[in-house]
Amino acid sequence: MTLPFAIPALTTDRLRLREPRETDLAAMNAFTHSPRHAFLGGPQEMWETYRGLLAGIGQWALRGFGFWSVDTKAGVFVGRVGVICPHAWPEPELAWHLYDGHEGQGFAVEAARAVRAHWATQGKGALMSLIHPDNARSIATAIRLGATFEGVDVTLGKGLRIFRHPGVNT
């Protein structure tokens, strides 16, 4: 699959952030059936996961930003990290989804730092993350990234916690 627009590749010491691909679908769908996806709506049918893949690509086409697929340098697909801003969101959000077996290794923090640095080169402001109040692992990731609790936002009828990320290149 070749997209008709460029998505910049980012690299870190251990990771490569690349464009989403249709071959990511099986791992994405497995994630939707993991306990951690409960914070994102629970299990999905494959067609819903496919729609999510397309929506992620659509964010890139419409807004110039979106989710990157995250691979280790060895080529193992470990999750997705990026900036999203769906229609109902109050502002762009730095978000991460780490797949089973890949959490607890610092991949989300490493990838999110690369995304924030890229965001800063685009002249954009500080980002926020919307996190379900019961998602302790995601809250811990936001805090490790230096984000601070700012308040509560009722997005899509849910009381999500807003964590504000520090600005440029942090």
Side-chain angles (χ1 to χ4, degrees), residues 60-80:
W60 282 105
L62 290 174
R63 302 188 188 277
F65 55 82
F67 273 120
W68 277 270
S69 293
V70 180
D71 291 339
T72 65
K73 291 276 176 103
V76 177
F77 179 40
V78 299
R80 301 187 319 151

Side-chain angles (χ1 to χ4, degrees), residues 22-35:
E22 196 166 3
T23 55
D24 298 339
L25 195 57
M28 290 174 62
N29 197 57
F31 172 69
T32 74
H33 290 86
S34 75

Side-chain angles (χ1 to χ4, degrees), residues 39-41 84-93 128-133 151-163:
F39 301 117
L40 301 169
I84 59 171
C85 192
H87 176 70
W89 263 226
E91 60 186 280
E93 174 189 9
M128 61 92 185
S129 292
L130 292 174
I131 303 174
H132 190 283
V152 176
D153 180 79
V154 182
T155 298
L156 302 177
K158 300 174 185 172
L160 301 176
R161 303 305 183 248
I162 302 168
F163 283 83

Side-chain angles (χ1 to χ4, degrees), residues 2 33 35 45 64 73 105 110 112 143-144 147 164-165:
T2 302
H33 290 86
E45 298 292 329
K73 291 276 176 103
Q105 299 175 56
E110 189 173 330
I143 292 168
R144 276 194 301 279
R164 180 68 52 192
H165 292 269

